[in-house]
């Protein structure tokens, strides 16, 4: 355990899972470095075939408490490795939120500020989803709507496993899922759940959300963080 982690009273930790994409990861780290609110701890969980990502992380000086963790391949496994690493550290007791970002997403400078505000403004929110500037959500929704698969409703999951993206506009709308590559969780959720692999036709991004969903409902705030609403504990 590092001395910095012993003394840090964290509120939000970030886990980035990556594999053989050090260039994409560098771009993401640059976007995180200019955030108005910087995560208290950033874990890069890497399953690359070479040491380029390790060299990048260990040599990157723009972010405090940036930690490299080696892992076997597999997105659910890497996410669990990140959470388990956090649980072994003293900061976990004071941690409020655990965030996950894919290594190729693009975030606004106020991303984490908005995530924390969303949790704060919605005490019953359990999962908050972000908006990837690089993703073409509208195109994906147009295709499913054209084929009459999901209709015009955002953030739906059919029994077939087909989904519509939850970010068509700026209105507050109830949805059934948020993208796993930009997802944020209240820490206590990991006292009861871990990530698993693909189940039936559903991808690992939403598999845990489907397990949790019977006791919760999802709500999104378009182009702002979405939030996954729950009962009051």
């Amino acid at each position: 355990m590092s001395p910095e982690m012993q003394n840090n009273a964290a509120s939000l930790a970030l886990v980035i899972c990556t594999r053989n994409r050090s260039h994409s990861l560098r771009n993401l780290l640059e976007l995180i470095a200019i955030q108005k609110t910087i995560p208290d701890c950033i874990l890069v969980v890497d399953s690359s075939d070479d040491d380029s990502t390790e060299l990048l992380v260990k040599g990157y000086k723009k972010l405090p408490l940036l930690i490299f963790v080696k892992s076997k391949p597999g997105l659910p496994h890497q996410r669990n490795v990140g959470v388990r690493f956090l649980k072994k550290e003293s900061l976990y007791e004071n941690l409020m939120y655990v965030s996950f970002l894919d290594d190729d997403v693009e975030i606004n400078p106020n991303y984490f500020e908005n995530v924390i505000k969303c949790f704060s403004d919605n005490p019953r929110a359990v999962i908050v989803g972000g908006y990837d500037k690089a993703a073409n959500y509208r195109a994906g929704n147009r295709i499913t709507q054209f084929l009459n698969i999901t209709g015009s409703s955002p953030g739906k999951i059919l029994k077939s496993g087909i989904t519509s993206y939850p970010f068509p506009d700026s209105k507050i709308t109830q949805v059934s899922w948020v993208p796993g590559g930009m997802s944020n969780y209240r820490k206590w959720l990991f006292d009861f759940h871990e990530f698993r692999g693909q189940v039936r036709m559903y991808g690992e991004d939403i598999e845990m959300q489907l397990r949790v969903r019977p006791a919760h409902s999802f709500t999104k705030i378009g182009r702002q963080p979405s939030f996954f609403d729950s009962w009051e504990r």
Side-chain angles (χ1 to χ4, degrees):
M1 179 189 305
S2 66
E4 293 88 351
M5 294 189 81
Q6 281 187 309
N7 298 324
N8 192 42
S11 60
L12 184 147
L14 169 63
V15 178
I16 304 170
C17 299
T18 186
R19 176 173 171 79
N20 296 331
R21 295 202 292 196
S22 58
H23 177 73
S24 295
L25 177 63
R26 178 182 290 277
N27 292 338
L28 177 59
L29 293 178
E30 292 292 321
L31 292 174
I32 296 172
I34 61 171
Q35 288 286 303
K36 294 180 180 178
T37 299
I38 301 291
D40 299 272
C41 174
I42 302 171
L43 301 183
V44 175
V45 183
D46 176 50
S47 62
S48 296
D49 297 321
D50 58 29
D51 61 355
S52 59
T53 297
E54 182 176 5
L55 293 173
L56 166 63
V57 172
K58 292 184 176 179
Y60 196 84
K61 304 301 182 183
K62 297 181 182 180
L63 289 167
L65 211 53
L66 178 62
I67 301 168
F68 177 84
V69 181
K70 192 65 179 178
S71 169
K72 295 186 294 185
L75 183 56
H77 175 75
Q78 288 179 243
R79 288 176 177 169
N80 288 332
V81 166
V83 173
R84 291 167 191 163
F85 184 96
L86 291 172
K87 286 183 175 181
K88 294 178 181 179
E89 301 300 329
S90 59
L91 65 78
Y92 193 74
E93 181 179 353
N94 296 316
L95 197 65
M96 297 178 67
Y97 317 115
V98 179
S99 297
F100 296 89
L101 288 178
D102 284 353
D103 57 14
D104 60 347
V105 299
E106 293 184 18
I107 54 177
N108 288 315
N110 59 351
Y111 176 76
F112 292 109
E113 182 180 59
N114 282 340
V115 166
I116 293 172
K117 185 177 187 302
C118 187
F119 276 124
S120 178
D121 291 348
N122 301 277
R124 297 170 62 191
V126 175
I127 301 176
V128 169
Y131 184 86
D132 181 3
K133 294 170 60 180
N136 194 346
Y137 297 118
R138 290 183 180 275
N141 277 345
R142 281 199 213 83
I143 292 171
T144 55
Q145 290 168 22
F146 176 76
L147 297 175
N148 198 27
I149 295 172
T150 59
S152 59
S153 299
K156 298 299 181 184
I157 306 173
L158 300 186
K159 292 181 179 179
S160 63
I162 295 174
T163 60
S164 60
Y165 280 94
F167 301 102
D169 52 41
S170 59
K171 297 179 181 178
I172 297 175
T173 309
Q174 194 162 27
V175 295
S176 300
W177 73 288
V178 296
M182 298 186 72
S183 55
N184 311 269
Y185 299 77
R186 288 196 187 272
K187 179 195 72 175
W188 62 260
L189 196 64
F190 295 104
D191 294 337
F192 307 99
H193 297 279
E194 280 197 333
F195 294 99
R196 300 175 186 169
Q198 185 167 339
V199 177
R200 294 185 299 175
M201 70 291 291
Y202 299 116
E204 66 272 2
D205 273 356
I206 60 174
E207 188 279 326
M208 188 171 81
Q209 296 177 23
L210 287 172
R211 276 186 281 128
V212 174
R213 194 179 66 171
H216 302 72
S217 63
F218 287 79
T219 306
K220 73 93 189 176
I221 306 172
R223 298 188 184 275
Q224 298 291 322
S226 316
F227 70 88
F228 173 30
D229 191 23
S230 79
W231 76 91
E232 292 181 2
R233 299 184 70 223

